[in-house]
């Protein structure tokens, strides 16, 4: 089976993006033990983030501003609407030389879902490998349903909830990621494009006038939402957050997920670790093992080690700059959309490199491992391969494990 035949059998997938190869006809092979190590690390660091979130909710606005949160989001950040801190989060890992180091946590609106929960099994089968993500979609369905129930119960209404999934209709990745979640939930629901939602003073409505009870915004980041303004000047994004706070609608992921999204949280956790505060010795051992030193200024790295500057709410490598230990930049991403926003500074550990098969031949690529965590439970994992910085031109690389010898 060739690449075209492989991906042609997968409905509602985008093996190419912007007329460029995205999904590789290749597979990274791990042992089952290596997969389990990544999941164990994911479970452990997720425990750290969830504990840190409890402390974040007690902080004054002044401190939250330092961590990069948009001013318009501050009134809503302490809202603990659901038992779950986040429903779907993704941890991005450097797995190299027997060690695992956490690069960042995409707590609020991670993508890469369709690829790992669905497409991975097609690729591993084509390469005669086992899919390490078998059973992950069932766990995803279970956690989605728990979240929908919790989101509906907080509204204290009778009857049956109106569930709506939303995304930008003109972005194929966002749209089909969201539609995959809707399909996985397998409950009565509707997809409504973002631009078609009616955000009124008393609630959110579909174009046909049905009131929305639960709105799943998997690919609609809060840091963008708070800037949305209607043609008449209404701050429509802020209004949506007000409606959620007033329990006229329930948003998923909840706002507690956005509270963990800032990369400033990693600097916050590292500061608590260095000052021996808040975390017990078991938790400190997890931080020492898996976290990279991260700060809100570069000074700790000067004349000590290479470091990376990245925006607190940046995505896909946008605005990332790599520095030598003397402070000289040696790599700067072309896109600098977030250059003037709050940044964090993290020790630079280079991603591992492998020979990767592409439609243009075999090339050397750096690769990082993404592992999803569903309400505290580690789940599907896969790789992004590309340049030194994972960006919007990086490939999707499946992960497989060797088949068990049953003879």
């Amino acid at each position: 089976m060739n690449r075209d035949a492989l991906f042609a059998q997968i409905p509602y997938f985008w093996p190419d993006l912007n007329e460029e190869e995205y999904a590789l006809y290749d597979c990274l092979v791990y042992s089952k033990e290596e997969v389990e190590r990544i999941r164990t690390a994911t479970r452990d660091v997720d425990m750290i983030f969830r504990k840190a979130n409890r402390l974040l909710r007690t902080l004054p606005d002044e401190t939250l501003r330092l961590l990069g949160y948009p001013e318009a989001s501050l009134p809503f950040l302490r809202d603990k609407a659901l038992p779950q801190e986040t429903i779907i989060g993704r941890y991005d890992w450097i797995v190299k030389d027997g060690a695992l180091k956490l690069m960042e946590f995409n707590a609020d609106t991670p993508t890469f879902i369709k690829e790992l929960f669905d497409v991975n099994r097609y690729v591993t089968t084509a390469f005669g490998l086992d899919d390490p993500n078998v059973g992950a979609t069932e766990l995803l369905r279970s956690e989605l349903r728990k979240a929908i129930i919790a989101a509906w119960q907080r509204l204290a209404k009778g009857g049956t909830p109106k569930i709506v999934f939303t995304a930008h209709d003109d972005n194929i990745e966002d749209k089909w990621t969201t539609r995959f979640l809707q399909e996985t939930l397998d409950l009565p629901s509707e997809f409504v494009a973002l631009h078609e939602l009616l955000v009124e003073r008393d609630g959110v409505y579909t174009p046909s006038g049905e009131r929305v009870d639960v709105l799943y915004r998997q690919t609609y980041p809060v840091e963008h939402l708070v800037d949305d303004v209607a043609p008449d000047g209404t701050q429509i994004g802020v209004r949506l957050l007000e409606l959620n706070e007033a329990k006229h609608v329930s948003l998923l992921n909840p706002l507690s997920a956005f509270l963990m999204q800032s990369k400033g949280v990693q600097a916050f956790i590292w500061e608590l670790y260095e000052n021996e505060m808040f975390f017990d010795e078991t938790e400190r051992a997890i931080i020492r093992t898996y976290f990279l030193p991260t700060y809100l200024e570069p000074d700790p790295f000067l004349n000590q080690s290479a470091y990376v500057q990245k925006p607190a709410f940046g995505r896909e490598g946008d605005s990332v700059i790599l520095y030598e230990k003397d402070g000289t930049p040696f790599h700067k991403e072309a896109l600098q959309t977030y250059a003037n926003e709050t940044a964090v500074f993290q020790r630079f550990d280079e991603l591992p490199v492998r020979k990767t098969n592409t439609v243009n031949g075999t090339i050397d690529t750096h690769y990082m491992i993404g592992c999803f965590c569903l309400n505290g439970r580690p789940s599907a994992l896969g790789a992004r391969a590309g340049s030194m910085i994972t960006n919007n031109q990086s490939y999707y690389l499946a992960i497989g494990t060797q088949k068990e010898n049953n003879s």
Side-chain angles (χ1 to χ4, degrees), residues 16 19 22 27 33 95-96 115 152 157 160 163 174 255 267 277 326-327 337 360 366:
D16 302 299
E19 300 183 355
Y22 170 60
C27 206
E33 290 74 23
V95 182
K96 183 179 176 183
E115 296 93 316
W152 173 234
K157 296 169 64 176
T160 303
I163 304 166
D174 286 3
L255 268 292
M277 299 169 62
D326 65 0
T337 311
N360 296 315
H366 293 77

Side-chain angles (χ1 to χ4, degrees), residues 76-275:
F76 310 100
L77 290 180
R78 298 169 187 86
D79 181 25
K80 184 65 169 71
L82 304 181
Q84 301 94 326
E85 294 285 0
T86 183
I87 317 308
I88 305 174
R90 193 192 74 234
Y91 289 91
D92 290 343
W93 293 97
I94 302 167
V95 182
K96 183 179 176 183
D97 300 329
L100 286 87
K101 290 296 181 181
L102 178 68
M103 288 196 299
E104 59 193 55
F105 179 31
N106 296 280
D108 187 38
T109 53
T111 53
F112 215 30
I113 295 171
K114 169 78 173 179
E115 296 93 316
L116 306 195
F117 286 89
D118 186 32
V119 178
N120 204 79
R121 62 191 171 98
Y122 290 91
V123 182
T124 54
T125 298
F127 281 84
L129 299 165
D130 280 339
D131 177 16
N133 300 335
V134 66
T137 303
E138 287 70 28
L139 177 60
L140 178 61
R141 178 177 296 109
S142 173
E143 291 301 334
L144 284 172
R145 289 184 173 185
K146 288 179 189 176
I148 293 291
I149 291 169
W152 173 234
Q153 287 178 338
R154 76 178 279 267
L155 301 182
K157 296 169 64 176
T160 303
K162 175 66 180 181
I163 304 166
V164 166
F165 287 78
T166 191
H168 290 288
D169 198 39
D170 58 353
N171 184 307
I172 187 172
E173 183 180 7
D174 286 3
K175 180 177 180 178
W176 291 119
T177 293
T178 301
R179 294 299 293 261
F180 173 71
L181 289 175
Q182 182 185 7
E183 176 186 281
T184 300
L185 174 67
D186 196 26
L187 291 175
S189 63
E190 182 179 352
F191 176 86
V192 178
L194 269 171
H195 72 277
E196 294 180 339
L197 284 174
L198 303 175
V199 183
E200 306 293 355
R201 293 184 182 278
D202 64 339
V204 181
Y205 295 86
T206 69
S208 64
E210 288 186 272
R211 188 187 187 99
V212 178
D213 296 307
V214 180
L215 183 64
Y216 213 116
R217 48 161 197 99
Q218 181 61 40
T219 60
Y220 188 28
V222 170
E223 70 269 23
H224 296 170
L225 182 154
V226 293
D227 291 332
D228 278 358
V229 178
D232 65 359
T234 301
Q235 291 183 294
I236 202 164
V238 171
R239 177 183 286 177
L240 182 58
L241 297 183
E242 290 172 344
L243 291 169
N244 176 73
E245 184 179 52
K247 299 183 182 179
H248 293 306
V249 68
S250 279
L251 295 180
L252 295 175
N253 267 324
L255 268 292
S256 53
F258 179 66
L259 188 58
M260 293 191 286
Q261 177 71 29
S262 171
K263 296 177 186 66
V265 176
Q266 287 170 265
F268 178 63
I269 289 171
W270 191 256
E271 181 177 3
L272 292 170
Y273 165 76
E274 286 196 319
N275 288 287

